[in-house]
Amino acid sequence: MDKYIGIVEFAGIAMWLLSQSDAAVNGTVGSGAGSPVSNLVSRLGSFTFSRTSSGRVETATDSESDEAASVGGSFFETLTSSEFYKNTKVGDISGSFRWAPFLALQTSDTFLTMLLLLSKYRMKSLPVVEVGGDKIENIITQSSVVHMLAECVGLSWFESWGTKKLSELGLPIMKPSKLVKVNEDQPVLKAFQLMREKGVGGLPVMDTSGAKAIGNISIRDVQYLLTAPKIYKEHRSITTKDFLSAVRHHLQEQCEASPLLHDVITCKKDDTIKDIILKLDSEKIHRIYVVDDKGNTEGVITLRDIISKLVHEPRHYFGDFFDGVVPLPANSTV
Protein backbone atom coordinates (compact mmCIF):
# COMPACT_ATOMS: atom_id res chain seq x y z
CA MET A 1 0.00 0.00 0.00
CA ASP A 2 1.28 3.45 -0.87
CA LYS A 3 1.79 5.82 2.04
CA TYR A 4 0.95 9.51 1.81
CA ILE A 5 3.93 11.67 2.70
CA GLY A 6 2.81 15.13 1.61
CA ILE A 7 0.45 17.35 -0.29
CA VAL A 8 1.54 19.68 -3.06
CA GLU A 9 -0.24 22.98 -3.57
CA PHE A 10 0.38 25.63 -6.23
CA ALA A 11 1.24 28.25 -3.63
CA GLY A 12 3.93 26.01 -2.17
CA ILE A 13 5.49 25.37 -5.57
CA ALA A 14 5.44 29.08 -6.43
CA MET A 15 7.04 30.01 -3.11
CA TRP A 16 9.68 27.32 -3.58
CA LEU A 17 10.53 28.57 -7.07
CA LEU A 18 10.91 32.10 -5.76
CA SER A 19 13.10 31.01 -2.86
CA GLN A 20 15.34 28.88 -5.08
CA SER A 21 15.77 31.68 -7.61
CA ASP A 22 16.59 34.18 -4.86
CA ALA A 23 19.08 31.82 -3.29
CA ALA A 24 20.79 31.19 -6.58
CA VAL A 25 21.00 34.92 -7.33
CA ASN A 26 22.60 35.42 -3.93
CA GLY A 27 24.98 32.51 -4.46
CA THR A 28 23.70 30.49 -1.51
CA VAL A 29 22.06 27.59 -3.35
CA GLY A 30 23.25 25.74 -6.41
CA SER A 31 26.02 28.25 -6.97
CA GLY A 32 28.38 25.71 -8.49
CA ALA A 33 29.08 25.88 -12.21
CA GLY A 34 26.45 24.03 -14.19
CA SER A 35 24.03 23.52 -11.29
CA PRO A 36 20.32 23.39 -12.32
CA VAL A 37 19.32 26.43 -10.27
CA SER A 38 22.21 28.62 -11.36
CA ASN A 39 21.66 27.67 -15.01
CA LEU A 40 18.02 28.69 -14.81
CA VAL A 41 18.81 31.94 -13.04
CA SER A 42 21.47 32.78 -15.61
CA ARG A 43 18.80 32.50 -18.27
CA LEU A 44 16.25 34.51 -16.31
CA GLY A 45 18.86 36.99 -15.12
CA SER A 46 19.51 38.60 -11.76
CA PHE A 47 17.88 41.91 -10.90
CA THR A 48 18.24 44.93 -8.64
CA PHE A 49 15.66 47.60 -7.91
CA SER A 50 16.42 51.32 -8.34
CA ARG A 51 14.40 54.51 -8.55
CA THR A 52 15.01 57.30 -11.07
CA SER A 53 14.85 61.02 -10.30
CA SER A 54 11.30 61.05 -11.69
CA GLY A 55 10.27 58.36 -9.24
CA ARG A 56 9.99 55.55 -11.79
CA VAL A 57 11.13 52.12 -10.61
CA GLU A 58 13.68 50.45 -12.85
CA THR A 59 15.61 47.20 -12.64
CA ALA A 60 19.04 46.23 -13.89
CA THR A 61 19.06 42.89 -15.75
CA ASP A 62 21.62 41.06 -17.80
CA SER A 63 21.42 40.72 -21.57
CA GLU A 64 20.53 37.03 -21.42
CA SER A 65 17.44 37.83 -19.36
CA ASP A 66 16.31 40.56 -21.76
CA GLU A 67 16.77 38.22 -24.70
CA ALA A 68 14.90 35.41 -22.97
CA ALA A 69 12.02 37.75 -22.17
CA SER A 70 11.78 39.05 -25.72
CA VAL A 71 11.86 35.70 -27.50
CA GLY A 72 11.02 33.17 -24.83
CA GLY A 73 7.29 34.01 -24.57
CA SER A 74 6.41 32.91 -21.06
CA PHE A 75 8.26 31.87 -17.94
CA PHE A 76 7.13 28.28 -18.45
CA GLU A 77 8.79 28.09 -21.87
CA THR A 78 12.08 29.03 -20.25
CA LEU A 79 11.50 26.86 -17.19
CA THR A 80 10.46 23.68 -18.98
CA SER A 81 13.47 23.79 -21.29
CA SER A 82 15.91 24.00 -18.37
CA GLU A 83 17.78 21.20 -16.63
CA PHE A 84 16.44 22.65 -13.36
CA TYR A 85 12.89 21.70 -14.41
CA LYS A 86 13.87 18.29 -15.74
CA ASN A 87 15.90 17.30 -12.66
CA THR A 88 13.65 18.64 -9.87
CA LYS A 89 11.60 15.99 -8.03
CA VAL A 90 8.53 16.38 -5.85
CA GLY A 91 10.66 15.46 -2.85
CA ASP A 92 12.84 18.51 -3.50
CA ILE A 93 9.83 20.73 -2.85
CA SER A 94 8.63 18.96 0.30
CA GLY A 95 10.54 21.31 2.59
CA SER A 96 8.40 24.24 1.47
CA PHE A 97 5.37 22.92 3.34
CA ARG A 98 4.53 23.51 6.94
CA TRP A 99 4.13 19.98 8.30
CA ALA A 100 5.94 16.75 7.64
CA PRO A 101 5.26 13.92 7.53
CA PHE A 102 1.85 14.09 5.84
CA LEU A 103 -0.77 15.55 8.22
CA ALA A 104 -4.33 14.52 7.44
CA LEU A 105 -7.68 14.16 9.17
CA GLN A 106 -9.17 10.78 9.81
CA THR A 107 -12.92 10.34 9.43
CA SER A 108 -13.11 9.62 13.17
CA ASP A 109 -11.53 12.98 14.15
CA THR A 110 -13.70 15.61 15.78
CA PHE A 111 -14.99 18.84 14.27
CA LEU A 112 -12.92 20.69 16.87
CA THR A 113 -9.73 19.04 15.63
CA MET A 114 -10.49 20.15 12.09
CA LEU A 115 -11.21 23.75 13.09
CA LEU A 116 -8.08 24.00 15.26
CA LEU A 117 -5.85 22.69 12.48
CA LEU A 118 -7.33 25.18 10.00
CA SER A 119 -6.95 28.13 12.36
CA LYS A 120 -4.43 28.00 15.21
CA TYR A 121 -2.16 25.49 13.46
CA ARG A 122 -2.29 27.37 10.13
CA MET A 123 -3.28 24.55 7.80
CA LYS A 124 -4.98 25.81 4.65
CA SER A 125 -6.36 22.43 3.58
CA LEU A 126 -6.77 19.04 5.21
CA PRO A 127 -6.99 15.75 3.32
CA VAL A 128 -9.45 13.27 4.88
CA VAL A 129 -8.41 9.60 4.98
CA GLU A 130 -9.90 6.44 6.41
CA VAL A 131 -7.87 4.69 9.10
CA GLY A 132 -5.75 2.17 7.22
CA GLY A 133 -7.28 3.30 3.94
CA ASP A 134 -5.39 3.66 0.67
CA LYS A 135 -7.03 6.76 -0.73
CA ILE A 136 -7.91 10.34 0.16
CA GLU A 137 -11.67 10.57 0.72
CA ASN A 138 -11.92 14.34 0.51
CA ILE A 139 -10.09 17.62 1.16
CA ILE A 140 -11.44 20.22 3.58
CA THR A 141 -10.29 23.81 3.07
CA GLN A 142 -10.71 27.05 4.99
CA SER A 143 -13.01 28.25 2.21
CA SER A 144 -15.26 25.21 2.55
CA VAL A 145 -15.65 25.83 6.29
CA VAL A 146 -16.64 29.46 5.69
CA HIS A 147 -19.08 28.30 3.00
CA MET A 148 -20.57 25.87 5.53
CA LEU A 149 -21.01 28.77 7.96
CA ALA A 150 -22.78 30.80 5.26
CA GLU A 151 -25.17 27.86 4.82
CA CYS A 152 -26.04 28.11 8.52
CA VAL A 153 -27.76 31.49 8.12
CA GLY A 154 -31.15 31.31 9.86
CA LEU A 155 -30.11 28.76 12.46
CA SER A 156 -30.49 30.10 15.99
CA TRP A 157 -26.92 29.41 17.12
CA PHE A 158 -25.48 31.10 14.06
CA GLU A 159 -27.76 34.14 14.25
CA SER A 160 -26.87 34.60 17.93
CA TRP A 161 -23.15 34.59 17.13
CA GLY A 162 -23.36 36.13 13.68
CA THR A 163 -24.97 39.37 14.84
CA LYS A 164 -21.89 40.29 16.89
CA LYS A 165 -19.84 43.20 15.54
CA LEU A 166 -16.26 42.64 14.47
CA SER A 167 -15.03 44.91 17.26
CA GLU A 168 -16.89 42.78 19.83
CA LEU A 169 -15.07 39.67 18.62
CA GLY A 170 -11.65 41.31 18.65
CA LEU A 171 -11.38 41.57 14.89
CA PRO A 172 -9.20 42.44 13.11
CA ILE A 173 -6.65 40.50 15.15
CA MET A 174 -3.58 42.11 13.60
CA LYS A 175 -2.64 45.65 14.61
CA PRO A 176 -2.46 48.18 11.73
CA SER A 177 1.28 48.60 12.28
CA LYS A 178 1.81 44.86 11.68
CA LEU A 179 -0.08 44.72 8.39
CA VAL A 180 2.15 43.42 5.58
CA LYS A 181 1.62 45.65 2.54
CA VAL A 182 3.23 47.16 -0.55
CA ASN A 183 2.87 50.54 -2.21
CA GLU A 184 1.51 50.85 -5.73
CA ASP A 185 4.84 52.01 -7.17
CA GLN A 186 6.87 49.10 -5.75
CA PRO A 187 7.85 46.18 -8.03
CA VAL A 188 5.37 43.31 -7.91
CA LEU A 189 8.30 40.95 -7.28
CA LYS A 190 8.69 42.72 -3.93
CA ALA A 191 5.09 41.76 -3.08
CA PHE A 192 5.74 38.06 -3.72
CA GLN A 193 9.04 38.18 -1.83
CA LEU A 194 7.26 39.73 1.17
CA MET A 195 4.63 37.00 1.12
CA ARG A 196 7.35 34.36 1.24
CA GLU A 197 9.37 36.12 3.93
CA LYS A 198 6.37 36.94 6.16
CA GLY A 199 4.47 33.71 5.57
CA VAL A 200 1.26 35.37 4.35
CA GLY A 201 -0.93 34.37 1.43
CA GLY A 202 -1.79 37.86 0.25
CA LEU A 203 -1.34 41.55 0.93
CA PRO A 204 -2.89 44.92 0.04
CA VAL A 205 -1.54 47.30 -2.57
CA MET A 206 -1.60 50.80 -1.07
CA ASP A 207 -1.96 54.13 -2.86
CA THR A 208 0.82 56.72 -2.87
CA SER A 209 -0.35 58.08 0.49
CA GLY A 210 0.05 54.63 2.04
CA ALA A 211 -3.38 54.97 3.67
CA LYS A 212 -5.85 53.38 1.24
CA ALA A 213 -5.77 49.95 -0.38
CA ILE A 214 -6.32 50.02 -4.13
CA GLY A 215 -6.08 46.29 -4.66
CA ASN A 216 -5.06 42.90 -3.33
CA ILE A 217 -2.38 40.50 -4.54
CA SER A 218 -2.32 36.87 -3.40
CA ILE A 219 0.39 34.26 -3.80
CA ARG A 220 -1.72 32.51 -6.44
CA ASP A 221 -1.46 35.61 -8.62
CA VAL A 222 2.17 34.73 -9.28
CA GLN A 223 0.73 32.49 -12.01
CA TYR A 224 0.22 35.57 -14.20
CA LEU A 225 3.93 36.33 -14.04
CA LEU A 226 4.55 32.77 -15.17
CA THR A 227 1.86 32.26 -17.82
CA ALA A 228 0.95 35.63 -19.39
CA PRO A 229 3.67 36.50 -21.96
CA LYS A 230 2.94 40.24 -21.99
CA ILE A 231 3.28 40.44 -18.21
CA TYR A 232 6.33 38.14 -18.16
CA LYS A 233 8.24 40.45 -20.50
CA GLU A 234 8.00 43.19 -17.86
CA HIS A 235 8.11 40.96 -14.79
CA ARG A 236 11.34 42.43 -13.41
CA SER A 237 10.16 46.05 -13.47
CA ILE A 238 6.36 46.04 -13.47
CA THR A 239 4.90 47.81 -10.44
CA THR A 240 2.11 46.39 -8.31
CA LYS A 241 -0.36 48.93 -9.70
CA ASP A 242 0.55 48.14 -13.30
CA PHE A 243 0.53 44.42 -12.53
CA LEU A 244 -3.07 44.64 -11.28
CA SER A 245 -4.08 46.54 -14.42
CA ALA A 246 -2.26 44.09 -16.70
CA VAL A 247 -3.82 41.07 -15.00
CA ARG A 248 -7.30 42.54 -15.30
CA HIS A 249 -6.71 43.14 -19.01
CA HIS A 250 -5.38 39.58 -19.40
CA LEU A 251 -8.42 38.11 -17.60
CA GLN A 252 -10.80 40.11 -19.77
CA GLU A 253 -9.02 38.90 -22.92
CA GLN A 254 -9.26 35.31 -21.69
CA CYS A 255 -12.88 35.80 -20.48
CA GLU A 256 -11.90 34.46 -17.06
CA ALA A 257 -13.74 35.27 -13.83
CA SER A 258 -11.58 36.41 -10.92
CA PRO A 259 -11.80 38.58 -7.77
CA LEU A 260 -9.00 40.65 -9.37
CA LEU A 261 -11.57 42.07 -11.79
CA HIS A 262 -13.36 43.81 -8.92
CA ASP A 263 -12.38 46.66 -6.64
CA VAL A 264 -10.77 45.74 -3.33
CA ILE A 265 -13.36 44.30 -0.93
CA THR A 266 -13.63 46.18 2.37
CA CYS A 267 -15.65 46.28 5.58
CA LYS A 268 -15.88 48.32 8.80
CA LYS A 269 -15.47 47.36 12.45
CA ASP A 270 -19.19 47.93 13.01
CA ASP A 271 -20.10 45.23 10.46
CA THR A 272 -21.28 41.92 11.85
CA ILE A 273 -19.37 38.67 11.52
CA LYS A 274 -22.36 37.32 9.57
CA ASP A 275 -21.96 40.12 7.00
CA ILE A 276 -18.28 39.29 6.58
CA ILE A 277 -18.85 35.54 6.20
CA LEU A 278 -21.49 36.10 3.52
CA LYS A 279 -19.27 38.57 1.66
CA LEU A 280 -16.20 36.31 1.75
CA ASP A 281 -18.26 33.35 0.57
CA SER A 282 -20.11 35.15 -2.23
CA GLU A 283 -16.98 36.89 -3.55
CA LYS A 284 -14.86 33.72 -3.24
CA ILE A 285 -12.01 35.60 -1.56
CA HIS A 286 -9.69 34.73 1.34
CA ARG A 287 -9.34 38.12 3.00
CA ILE A 288 -11.22 41.36 3.46
CA TYR A 289 -9.72 44.72 4.47
CA VAL A 290 -11.08 46.78 7.35
CA VAL A 291 -11.36 50.53 6.67
CA ASP A 292 -12.37 53.57 8.74
CA ASP A 293 -14.95 56.20 7.81
CA LYS A 294 -12.43 57.90 5.49
CA GLY A 295 -11.62 54.68 3.66
CA ASN A 296 -8.18 54.31 5.24
CA THR A 297 -7.06 50.72 5.72
CA GLU A 298 -7.01 49.65 9.37
CA GLY A 299 -6.44 45.92 9.12
CA VAL A 300 -7.31 42.65 7.44
CA ILE A 301 -9.58 39.74 8.30
CA THR A 302 -8.78 36.33 6.82
CA LEU A 303 -10.66 33.04 6.65
CA ARG A 304 -8.35 31.76 9.38
CA ASP A 305 -9.27 34.68 11.66
CA ILE A 306 -12.96 33.86 11.36
CA ILE A 307 -12.48 30.15 12.02
CA SER A 308 -10.32 30.95 15.06
CA LYS A 309 -13.25 32.80 16.64
CA LEU A 310 -15.32 29.63 16.60
CA VAL A 311 -13.02 27.49 18.71
CA HIS A 312 -10.94 27.34 21.85
CA GLU A 313 -8.31 24.66 22.32
CA PRO A 314 -8.74 22.71 25.58
CA ARG A 315 -5.55 22.35 27.56
CA HIS A 316 -3.35 19.49 26.34
CA TYR A 317 -5.85 18.72 23.56
CA PHE A 318 -3.08 17.64 21.17
CA GLY A 319 -0.70 16.60 23.91
CA ASP A 320 2.88 17.28 22.80
CA PHE A 321 2.20 16.51 19.13
CA PHE A 322 3.07 20.04 18.02
CA ASP A 323 6.00 20.42 20.41
CA GLY A 324 8.59 18.90 18.13
CA VAL A 325 7.32 15.33 17.77
CA VAL A 326 6.59 15.90 14.08
CA PRO A 327 9.99 16.01 12.38
CA LEU A 328 10.73 18.40 9.56
CA PRO A 329 12.58 17.20 6.47
CA ALA A 330 16.25 18.07 6.09
CA ASN A 331 15.45 20.55 3.32
CA SER A 332 12.76 22.34 5.36
CA THR A 333 12.37 26.06 4.69
CA VAL A 334 9.62 26.70 7.28
Side-chain angles (χ1 to χ4, degrees), residues 254-323:
Q254 302 297 318
C255 298
E256 295 181 26
S258 170
L260 283 172
L261 290 172
H262 310 299
D263 293 334
V264 62
I265 308 298
T266 63
C267 65
K268 294 185 176 181
K269 288 183 178 180
D270 286 340
D271 290 343
T272 66
I273 190 69
K274 173 182 174 180
D275 293 334
I276 304 308
I277 289 172
L278 292 176
K279 190 174 290 188
L280 287 168
D281 183 54
S282 64
E283 298 289 344
K284 306 303 178 187
I285 54 179
H286 292 183
R287 60 191 56 79
I288 187 170
Y289 295 103
V290 183
V291 298
D292 60 18
D293 292 334
K294 295 181 180 180
N296 296 327
T297 303
E298 292 188 321
V300 62
I301 296 174
T302 65
L303 301 180
R304 177 179 293 117
D305 295 336
I306 291 175
I307 297 172
S308 71
K309 294 301 177 179
L310 286 169
V311 292
H312 172 72
E313 181 179 358
R315 190 175 183 183
H316 303 309
Y317 184 76
F318 286 111
D320 60 357
F321 184 78
F322 291 105
D323 294 336

Side-chain angles (χ1 to χ4, degrees), residues 13 35 43 60 125 214 223 225 239 273 283 288 293 311 321:
I13 296 173
S35 71
R43 293 192 65 185
S125 59
I214 63 167
Q223 65 181 291
L225 283 182
T239 64
I273 190 69
E283 298 289 344
I288 187 170
D293 292 334
V311 292
F321 184 78

Side-chain angles (χ1 to χ4, degrees), residues 30 32-42 82-85 87-88:
S35 71
V37 175
S38 61
N39 286 341
L40 176 63
V41 171
S42 69
S82 69
E83 291 300 313
F84 171 66
Y85 174 85
N87 295 336
T88 299

Side-chain angles (χ1 to χ4, degrees), residues 3-9 90 94 97 99-104 127 136:
K3 292 185 178 180
Y4 301 111
I5 61 171
I7 184 168
V8 176
E9 295 177 326
V90 172
S94 63
F97 302 101
W99 299 115
F102 186 57
L103 181 60
I136 295 176

Side-chain angles (χ1 to χ4, degrees), residues 4-58:
Y4 301 111
I5 61 171
I7 184 168
V8 176
E9 295 177 326
F10 176 81
I13 296 173
M15 288 294 197
W16 184 79
L17 277 171
L18 286 173
S19 66
Q20 293 298 301
S21 296
D22 285 349
V25 167
N26 294 326
T28 57
V29 173
S31 57
S35 71
V37 175
S38 61
N39 286 341
L40 176 63
V41 171
S42 69
R43 293 192 65 185
L44 296 181
S46 59
F47 59 91
T48 56
F49 301 131
S50 62
R51 191 181 302 276
T52 66
S53 57
S54 63
R56 183 178 181 272
V57 175
E58 293 184 340

Side-chain angles (χ1 to χ4, degrees), residues 75-285:
F75 175 86
F76 278 131
E77 291 179 23
T78 302
L79 177 64
T80 56
S81 65
S82 69
E83 291 300 313
F84 171 66
Y85 174 85
K86 297 173 183 176
N87 295 336
T88 299
K89 309 298 182 184
V90 172
D92 298 329
I93 310 174
S94 63
S96 66
F97 302 101
R98 183 170 177 82
W99 299 115
F102 186 57
L103 181 60
L105 283 175
Q106 297 179 353
T107 52
S108 58
D109 283 331
T110 66
F111 203 68
L112 175 60
T113 296
M114 177 192 74
L115 294 178
L116 285 172
L117 291 176
L118 289 173
S119 56
K120 179 178 179 179
Y121 293 99
R122 304 181 65 80
M123 302 296 292
K124 291 186 177 181
S125 59
L126 291 168
V128 180
V129 299
E130 288 279 2
V131 178
D134 59 356
K135 67 176 183 179
I136 295 176
E137 299 292 337
N138 211 328
I139 294 180
I140 299 174
T141 65
Q142 293 174 340
S143 296
S144 65
V145 171
V146 170
H147 177 69
M148 178 204 68
L149 291 174
E151 294 287 303
C152 292
V153 170
L155 299 180
S156 58
W157 73 266
F158 180 82
E159 294 298 331
S160 175
W161 177 71
T163 54
K164 294 183 181 295
K165 295 181 178 181
L166 299 179
S167 55
E168 295 180 85
L169 293 171
L171 293 171
I173 296 174
M174 184 180 296
K175 295 180 180 179
S177 60
K178 299 295 184 180
L179 183 64
V180 182
K181 54 191 176 183
V182 290
N183 291 330
E184 64 178 40
D185 62 348
Q186 288 184 291
V188 73
L189 287 180
K190 179 65 175 178
F192 293 119
Q193 289 168 348
L194 276 174
M195 290 182 220
R196 176 171 58 81
E197 292 169 3
K198 302 297 183 181
V200 296
L203 43 72
V205 177
M206 310 300 290
D207 64 10
T208 53
S209 71
K212 293 181 172 63
I214 63 167
N216 174 81
I217 295 178
S218 73
I219 184 57
R220 291 183 180 274
D221 297 332
V222 73
Q223 65 181 291
Y224 302 112
L225 283 182
L226 307 182
T227 60
K230 292 181 181 178
I231 299 177
Y232 172 68
K233 288 180 180 179
E234 304 294 332
H235 75 285
R236 297 194 184 281
S237 60
I238 190 169
T239 64
T240 53
K241 181 180 180 180
D242 291 342
F243 173 77
L244 289 173
S245 298
V247 169
R248 287 166 184 154
H249 181 69
H250 172 76
L251 291 170
Q252 290 168 348
E253 284 186 333
Q254 302 297 318
C255 298
E256 295 181 26
S258 170
L260 283 172
L261 290 172
H262 310 299
D263 293 334
V264 62
I265 308 298
T266 63
C267 65
K268 294 185 176 181
K269 288 183 178 180
D270 286 340
D271 290 343
T272 66
I273 190 69
K274 173 182 174 180
D275 293 334
I276 304 308
I277 289 172
L278 292 176
K279 190 174 290 188
L280 287 168
D281 183 54
S282 64
E283 298 289 344
K284 306 303 178 187
I285 54 179

